[in-house]
């Protein structure tokens, strides 16, 4: 069974969809992404959090929003902040390099 990874950022346009794309067709992981803002392309729901085995947020504010809005859904689940600022576009090579480094530090990728 694959480990389910959820990636969260603000608008679900650059960082989290890029992280999700890194795991497309991965043999050990399945990934999804969502945003914490009201205008997000895909807004995070309780269903996303219930599905996930591991939750990665790009910034502390995203993790704080999940804790505030979904306390029961994230109880007992690893919630990891990657500290990646909103300075990148979807599939930006610098973003991919940064994601690989940060995820590698957490034992993923």
């Amino acid at each position: 069974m694959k480990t389910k990874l959820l990636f969260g950022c603000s608008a679900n346009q650059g960082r989290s969809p890029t992280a999700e794309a890194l795991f497309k067709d991965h043999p050990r992981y399945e990934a999804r992404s969502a945003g914490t803002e009201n205008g997000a392309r895909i807004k995070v729901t309780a269903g996303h959090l219930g599905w996930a085995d591991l939750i990665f947020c790009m910034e502390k504010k995203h993790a704080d929003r999940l804790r505030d809005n979904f306390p029961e859904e994230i109880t007992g689940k690893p919630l990891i902040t990657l500290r990646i600022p909103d300075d990148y576009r979807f599939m930006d090579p610098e973003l991919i390099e940064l994601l690989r480094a940060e995820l590698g530090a957490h034992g993923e990728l």
Side-chain angles (χ1 to χ4, degrees), residues 1 6 18 24 29 35 41 43 47 56-57 60 72 78 82 88:
M1 184 187 304
L6 178 66
T18 299
K24 183 174 173 46
Y29 300 105
R41 186 179 63 90
K43 186 161 186 206
F56 291 94
C57 293
K60 182 183 180 297
E72 292 157 18
L82 297 174
Y88 306 96

mmCIF file of all heavy atoms in Angstrom, residues 1 6 18 24 29 35 41 43 47 56-57 60 72 78 82 88:
data_model
loop_
_atom_site.group_PDB
_atom_site.id
_atom_site.type_symbol
_atom_site.label_atom_id
_atom_site.label_comp_id
_atom_site.label_asym_id
_atom_site.label_seq_id
_atom_site.Cartn_x
_atom_site.Cartn_y
_atom_site.Cartn_z
ATOM 1 N N MET A 1 0.832 -1.176 0.000
ATOM 2 C CA MET A 1 0.000 0.000 0.000
ATOM 3 C C MET A 1 0.884 1.250 0.000
ATOM 4 O O MET A 1 1.866 1.336 0.727
ATOM 5 C CB MET A 1 -0.911 0.013 1.227
ATOM 6 C CG MET A 1 -1.846 1.183 1.171
ATOM 7 S SD MET A 1 -2.904 1.542 2.573
ATOM 8 C CE MET A 1 -3.818 0.116 2.879
ATOM 9 N N LEU A 6 -0.082 14.599 1.519
ATOM 10 C CA LEU A 6 -0.854 15.795 1.184
ATOM 11 C C LEU A 6 0.062 16.997 1.318
ATOM 12 O O LEU A 6 0.727 17.169 2.343
ATOM 13 C CB LEU A 6 -2.061 15.953 2.115
ATOM 14 C CG LEU A 6 -2.903 17.210 1.872
ATOM 15 C CD1 LEU A 6 -3.580 17.159 0.505
ATOM 16 C CD2 LEU A 6 -3.929 17.391 2.973
ATOM 17 N N THR A 18 3.352 21.509 -7.493
ATOM 18 C CA THR A 18 4.672 21.049 -7.932
ATOM 19 C C THR A 18 5.106 19.856 -7.089
ATOM 20 O O THR A 18 5.598 18.846 -7.624
ATOM 21 C CB THR A 18 5.709 22.186 -7.846
ATOM 22 O OG1 THR A 18 5.299 23.252 -8.712
ATOM 23 C CG2 THR A 18 7.100 21.703 -8.243
ATOM 24 N N LYS A 24 4.110 11.875 -9.011
ATOM 25 C CA LYS A 24 3.263 11.231 -10.017
ATOM 26 C C LYS A 24 3.908 9.908 -10.429
ATOM 27 O O LYS A 24 5.091 9.857 -10.736
ATOM 28 C CB LYS A 24 3.104 12.156 -11.226
ATOM 29 C CG LYS A 24 2.178 11.608 -12.292
ATOM 30 C CD LYS A 24 1.979 12.644 -13.373
ATOM 31 C CE LYS A 24 1.200 12.149 -14.558
ATOM 32 N NZ LYS A 24 0.008 11.411 -14.308
ATOM 33 N N TYR A 29 4.601 6.211 -3.113
ATOM 34 C CA TYR A 29 3.795 7.319 -2.612
ATOM 35 C C TYR A 29 2.671 7.682 -3.567
ATOM 36 O O TYR A 29 2.802 7.561 -4.779
ATOM 37 C CB TYR A 29 4.658 8.570 -2.403
ATOM 38 C CG TYR A 29 5.772 8.383 -1.424
ATOM 39 C CD1 TYR A 29 7.085 8.242 -1.855
ATOM 40 C CD2 TYR A 29 5.521 8.362 -0.062
ATOM 41 C CE1 TYR A 29 8.120 8.071 -0.938
ATOM 42 C CE2 TYR A 29 6.544 8.194 0.850
ATOM 43 C CZ TYR A 29 7.842 8.047 0.404
ATOM 44 O OH TYR A 29 8.860 7.887 1.292
ATOM 45 N N GLY A 35 -4.973 24.020 -1.177
ATOM 46 C CA GLY A 35 -4.614 25.310 -0.603
ATOM 47 C C GLY A 35 -5.461 25.646 0.607
ATOM 48 O O GLY A 35 -6.580 25.149 0.759
ATOM 49 N N ARG A 41 -7.145 27.078 -5.850
ATOM 50 C CA ARG A 41 -7.559 26.270 -6.992
ATOM 51 C C ARG A 41 -8.297 25.027 -6.510
ATOM 52 O O ARG A 41 -9.374 24.700 -6.981
ATOM 53 C CB ARG A 41 -6.325 25.883 -7.813
ATOM 54 C CG ARG A 41 -6.607 25.159 -9.111
ATOM 55 C CD ARG A 41 -5.308 24.853 -9.851
ATOM 56 N NE ARG A 41 -4.448 23.962 -9.104
ATOM 57 C CZ ARG A 41 -4.479 22.632 -9.190
ATOM 58 N NH1 ARG A 41 -5.334 22.032 -9.984
ATOM 59 N NH2 ARG A 41 -3.650 21.893 -8.474
ATOM 60 N N LYS A 43 -9.316 23.777 -2.651
ATOM 61 C CA LYS A 43 -9.254 24.152 -1.232
ATOM 62 C C LYS A 43 -9.246 22.894 -0.363
ATOM 63 O O LYS A 43 -9.991 21.955 -0.604
ATOM 64 C CB LYS A 43 -10.442 25.037 -0.860
ATOM 65 C CG LYS A 43 -10.291 25.531 0.571
ATOM 66 C CD LYS A 43 -11.113 26.725 0.881
ATOM 67 C CE LYS A 43 -10.720 27.137 2.280
ATOM 68 N NZ LYS A 43 -11.676 27.840 2.997
ATOM 69 N N GLY A 47 -11.843 15.896 4.095
ATOM 70 C CA GLY A 47 -11.597 14.678 3.327
ATOM 71 C C GLY A 47 -10.145 14.523 2.911
ATOM 72 O O GLY A 47 -9.589 13.418 2.972
ATOM 73 N N PHE A 56 2.270 17.815 4.552
ATOM 74 C CA PHE A 56 3.362 18.766 4.416
ATOM 75 C C PHE A 56 2.780 20.135 4.080
ATOM 76 O O PHE A 56 1.995 20.262 3.142
ATOM 77 C CB PHE A 56 4.308 18.359 3.278
ATOM 78 C CG PHE A 56 5.095 17.117 3.564
ATOM 79 C CD1 PHE A 56 4.631 15.882 3.142
ATOM 80 C CD2 PHE A 56 6.300 17.172 4.248
ATOM 81 C CE1 PHE A 56 5.357 14.726 3.393
ATOM 82 C CE2 PHE A 56 7.031 16.027 4.510
ATOM 83 C CZ PHE A 56 6.551 14.805 4.080
ATOM 84 N N CYS A 57 3.176 21.147 4.848
ATOM 85 C CA CYS A 57 2.770 22.522 4.584
ATOM 86 C C CYS A 57 3.996 23.312 4.154
ATOM 87 O O CYS A 57 5.100 23.082 4.652
ATOM 88 C CB CYS A 57 2.162 23.149 5.832
ATOM 89 S SG CYS A 57 0.601 22.388 6.299
ATOM 90 N N LYS A 60 4.578 27.959 7.930
ATOM 91 C CA LYS A 60 3.972 27.772 9.253
ATOM 92 C C LYS A 60 2.510 28.209 9.274
ATOM 93 O O LYS A 60 1.673 27.580 9.900
ATOM 94 C CB LYS A 60 4.782 28.543 10.298
ATOM 95 C CG LYS A 60 4.270 28.384 11.716
ATOM 96 C CD LYS A 60 5.076 29.222 12.694
ATOM 97 C CE LYS A 60 4.580 29.070 14.109
ATOM 98 N NZ LYS A 60 3.208 29.529 14.311
ATOM 99 N N GLU A 72 -9.534 17.958 14.726
ATOM 100 C CA GLU A 72 -9.814 16.526 14.871
ATOM 101 C C GLU A 72 -9.228 15.721 13.727
ATOM 102 O O GLU A 72 -8.709 14.622 13.923
ATOM 103 C CB GLU A 72 -11.319 16.289 14.969
ATOM 104 C CG GLU A 72 -11.898 16.837 16.256
ATOM 105 C CD GLU A 72 -13.378 17.136 16.166
ATOM 106 O OE1 GLU A 72 -14.043 16.618 15.248
ATOM 107 O OE2 GLU A 72 -13.852 17.898 17.020
ATOM 108 N N PRO A 78 1.295 13.193 11.252
ATOM 109 C CA PRO A 78 2.463 14.074 11.133
ATOM 110 C C PRO A 78 2.123 15.297 10.280
ATOM 111 O O PRO A 78 1.573 15.166 9.191
ATOM 112 C CB PRO A 78 3.503 13.198 10.427
ATOM 113 C CG PRO A 78 3.049 11.796 10.640
ATOM 114 C CD PRO A 78 1.555 11.860 10.730
ATOM 115 N N LEU A 82 7.652 22.785 5.681
ATOM 116 C CA LEU A 82 8.856 22.747 4.851
ATOM 117 C C LEU A 82 9.584 24.089 4.768
ATOM 118 O O LEU A 82 10.715 24.144 4.312
ATOM 119 C CB LEU A 82 8.487 22.282 3.433
ATOM 120 C CG LEU A 82 7.922 20.868 3.352
ATOM 121 C CD1 LEU A 82 7.453 20.576 1.922
ATOM 122 C CD2 LEU A 82 8.936 19.842 3.800
ATOM 123 N N TYR A 88 7.814 31.099 -6.051
ATOM 124 C CA TYR A 88 8.037 30.232 -7.204
ATOM 125 C C TYR A 88 6.749 29.973 -7.980
ATOM 126 O O TYR A 88 5.667 29.974 -7.421
ATOM 127 C CB TYR A 88 8.601 28.879 -6.736
ATOM 128 C CG TYR A 88 9.826 29.010 -5.881
ATOM 129 C CD1 TYR A 88 9.721 29.005 -4.491
ATOM 130 C CD2 TYR A 88 11.078 29.165 -6.442
ATOM 131 C CE1 TYR A 88 10.843 29.137 -3.693
ATOM 132 C CE2 TYR A 88 12.211 29.302 -5.654
ATOM 133 C CZ TYR A 88 12.082 29.289 -4.285
ATOM 134 O OH TYR A 88 13.191 29.426 -3.489
#
